[in-house]
């Protein structure tokens, strides 16, 4: 690797770390002072980090040109996906308020009683398979999260939360219907299945195994 390329990569890595740390600090700050809802805190933190970033580079000679490129190749290109994300949010809310989830609780409780400790393996796997089958991970968070929290599980609440978080993270990476996968495929002009399964599957398998082990040890 050429020294200039290595130096540029190092600077970009530092920028990414600073952005992530900034988001964590702002979200934690809003959490401590109970500013807004959970989603609102994340959005507000993102706006603040983006605003600070733009202010820092306001005098850069390529600032205006970069904004124009981002508008043409980023925002405009992703407009059609905004309709999809809005529809998924409305669908998840409708499912949440319909009461249909309660009807599945006896069936799930019976299955969990038979599985016992194996539930710690089955829950994330079923979550991921449903996401791959076409149910968006965002909707699954509402559906499975609310149902499972109402059941008697052989898991501690913390372990269940870890499993749902783990399954959600993996699903957002391996589901061809997840937002980041769709946007990555759109920008790179490849199929979403290629991004989700060919590029991300190996990393997600390792991440899933490590997460399940950690949840088992915690339980």
């Amino acid at each position: 690797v050429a020294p200039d390329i290595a130096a540029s990569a190092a600077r970009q890595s530092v920028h990414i770390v600073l952005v992530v740390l900034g988001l964590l600090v702002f979200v934690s700050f809003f959490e401590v002072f109970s500013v807004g809802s959970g989603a609102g805190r994340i959005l507000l933190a993102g706006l603040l980090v983006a605003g600070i970033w733009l202010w820092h580079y306001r005098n850069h000679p390529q600032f205006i040109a970069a904004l124009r490129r981002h508008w043409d190749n980023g925002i405009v290109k992703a407009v059609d996906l905004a309709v999809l994300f809005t529809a998924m949010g409305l669908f998840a809310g409708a499912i949440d308020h319909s009461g249909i989830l309660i009807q599945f609780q006896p069936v799930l409780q019976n299955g969990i009683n038979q599985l016992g400790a194996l539930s710690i393996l089955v829950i994330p796997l079923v979550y991921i398979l449903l996401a791959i089958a076409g149910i968006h991970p965002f909707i699954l968070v509402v559906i499975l999260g609310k149902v499972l929290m109402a059941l008697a599980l052989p898991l501690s609440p913390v372990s269940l939360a870890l499993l749902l978080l783990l399954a959600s993270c993996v699903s957002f990476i391996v589901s061809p219907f997840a937002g980041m996968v769709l946007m990555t495929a759109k920008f790179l002009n490849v199929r979403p299945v290629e991004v989700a399964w060919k590029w991300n599957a190996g990393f997600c398998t390792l991440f899933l195994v490590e997460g399940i082990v950690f949840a088992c040890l915690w339980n």
Side-chain angles (χ1 to χ4, degrees):
V1 180
D4 55 339
I5 297 178
S8 176
R11 288 194 299 270
Q12 293 176 5
S13 299
V14 172
H15 290 169
I16 294 173
V17 172
L18 290 176
V19 168
V20 173
L21 290 177
L23 290 172
L24 292 175
V25 169
F26 282 123
V27 170
S28 301
F29 176 82
F30 296 144
E31 178 74 23
V32 170
F33 291 96
S34 300
V35 178
S37 63
R41 293 166 192 152
I42 296 174
L43 290 174
L44 185 56
L47 288 174
L48 287 174
V49 171
I52 294 172
W53 190 272
L54 292 173
W55 179 260
H56 176 73
Y57 285 102
R58 67 190 185 281
N59 294 324
H60 194 281
Q62 296 295 323
F63 181 75
I64 301 300
L67 288 180
R68 289 174 178 170
R69 286 196 302 270
H70 178 65
W71 177 267
D72 294 335
N73 300 324
I75 297 177
V76 173
K77 198 171 183 178
V79 165
D80 54 341
L81 296 178
V83 179
L84 173 64
F85 298 152
T86 302
M88 289 186 298
L90 293 174
F91 179 71
I95 291 292
D96 187 23
H97 291 87
S98 66
I100 194 173
L101 301 179
I102 301 176
Q103 302 178 14
F104 292 96
Q105 290 181 357
V107 178
L108 292 175
Q109 184 65 71
N110 183 49
I112 288 173
N113 292 338
Q114 295 180 2
L115 291 172
L118 289 177
S119 300
I120 205 168
L121 299 176
V122 174
I123 289 174
L125 292 178
V126 170
Y127 189 116
I128 295 168
L129 289 176
L130 289 174
I132 293 176
I135 302 179
H136 194 272
F138 178 76
I139 299 174
L140 285 174
V141 169
V142 177
I143 295 176
L144 291 184
K146 220 163 193 184
V147 170
L148 291 175
M149 291 301 293
L151 301 179
L153 300 173
L155 304 170
S156 68
V158 175
S159 293
L160 177 59
L162 289 173
L163 288 176
L164 290 177
L165 180 61
L166 170 69
S168 179
C169 292
V170 173
S171 297
F172 272 107
I173 303 175
V174 299
S175 171
F177 305 96
M180 289 305 300
V181 173
L182 289 172
M183 293 184 69
T184 301
K186 189 176 186 66
F187 291 147
L188 299 180
N189 295 319
V190 297
R191 296 184 303 162
V193 172
E194 185 176 0
V195 176
W197 297 347
K198 183 178 180 180
W199 298 357
N200 297 340
F203 165 76
C204 288
T205 301
L206 180 60
F207 179 49
L208 180 63
V209 172
E210 291 178 348
I212 291 176
V213 170
F214 184 79
C216 290
L217 295 176
W218 193 283
N219 190 55

